[in-house]
Amino acid sequence: MKPLVICHMVASIDGRTLISRWRPEDAHRRGLLGRLHDELGADAWLVGRVTGQEYAKLEAYPDDADQTYPREPWFARRDASAYGVVLDAHGRIAWGRADIEDDPIVAVLTEQVSDAHLDGLRRDGVSYIFAGVQQLDLGLGLEILNQELGINRVELNGGGVTNGAFLRAGLIDEISLAVFPVIDGAKGAPCIFDSSDDEAGTAAPVRAMTLESSEVLEGGVVWLRYRLQNA
């Protein structure tokens, strides 16, 4: 069974997501972001490699391993109330930690990842699953998270390329967007949905979007929630 996937993002009024570039600045923003996360009530949040890399504490794992590991799921913990899921197809993130803000990390890998990387993950206490041989199968990854960890509700937090990949795969059930009264206004900032160059021409299979709720929050933030119907 696939978990419910809510793509939850915050953006400026021009659709940009790099908070450090937003103007005017807002010292109270962090508290609101945490509250919205709590209200969504997800069992796991999910980000791509670039976003996940921001939380890593090591440059790299050692190049060698003393043993060969089977390409099957391995879990350091199965009892968490929420998990931090990170897509890392080629095993590039050396974590140096087991959790992010107390949420245990689960790496989603392809089977081509080296034994040395798996050894590093195990030593750090980072759980991992495999969702594809050479490329990530996002739908398969979601099914494994549901089957193995009982995850029924995923909060997808990007970045834009990751969000776009889930959108084009028809895997997003809801979009939760908090629009802040700020402006980026410059070229090249990341946006809510994006693509790699070879995916730019692929249309998302979205048949309909229904506005489920709209709410004006403190500071003029507008919180929109849309239900998606995928083809």
Side-chain angles (χ1 to χ4, degrees):
M1 179 184 294
K2 182 187 81 66
L4 179 79
V5 176
I6 304 171
C7 181
H8 174 65
M9 296 293 288
V10 298
S12 61
I13 62 169
D14 50 346
R16 307 301 180 89
T17 60
L18 188 58
I19 294 176
S20 63
R21 291 173 39 149
W22 291 357
R23 295 297 183 273
E25 297 180 348
D26 181 359
H28 304 291
R29 184 177 295 133
R30 185 172 179 81
L32 179 58
L33 297 181
R35 180 165 68 82
L36 296 183
H37 169 77
D38 291 342
E39 287 195 28
L40 291 175
D43 305 307
W45 50 267
L46 188 153
V47 297
R49 183 192 63 81
V50 174
T51 303
Q53 186 74 56
E54 298 173 5
Y55 298 98
K57 294 185 175 182
L58 299 177
E59 291 295 325
Y61 289 135
D63 293 331
D64 301 311
D66 295 331
Q67 65 183 98
T68 300
Y69 295 101
R71 273 30 182 189
E72 58 187 30
W74 182 84
F75 298 100
R77 287 185 59 185
R78 290 179 176 267
D79 59 347
S81 58
Y83 296 87
V85 180
V86 181
L87 305 182
D88 189 16
H90 306 294
R92 295 177 179 172
I93 303 176
W95 288 102
R97 63 192 301 172
D99 60 74
I100 300 172
E101 297 184 356
D102 297 325
D103 295 338
I105 300 166
V106 181
V108 182
L109 313 170
T110 58
E111 294 179 15
Q112 66 175 335
V113 169
S114 69
D115 290 308
H117 189 78
L118 300 181
D119 188 67
L121 294 178
R122 289 183 178 224
R123 283 188 285 104
D124 279 342
V126 173
S127 302
Y128 58 81
I129 66 172
F130 295 95
V133 178
Q134 297 289 333
Q135 296 182 330
L136 287 179
D137 181 331
L138 300 177
L140 175 61
L142 291 174
E143 290 177 6
I144 294 172
L145 292 172
N146 174 262
Q147 294 167 2
E148 295 285 352
L149 295 175
I151 293 172
N152 294 310
R153 194 176 180 88
V154 172
E155 181 184 321
L156 174 62
N157 303 132
V161 172
T162 296
N163 291 343
F166 275 84
L167 184 71
R168 286 185 294 277
L171 296 172
I172 296 179
D173 301 292
E174 180 182 328
I175 294 174
S176 165
L177 176 62
V179 181
F180 282 73
V182 294
I183 297 173
D184 182 305
K187 183 179 180 180
C191 55
I192 301 165
F193 294 102
D194 210 333
S195 71
S196 59
D197 290 341
D198 61 340
E199 296 172 322
T202 303
V206 178
R207 182 175 297 170
M209 293 178 61
T210 303
L211 180 63
E212 295 289 313
S213 65
S214 62
E215 185 177 355
V216 179
L217 307 177
E218 58 266 32
V221 176
V222 178
W223 188 20
L224 304 170
R225 298 182 70 172
Y226 289 91
R227 179 72 61 176
L228 269 63
Q229 180 182 350
N230 295 295

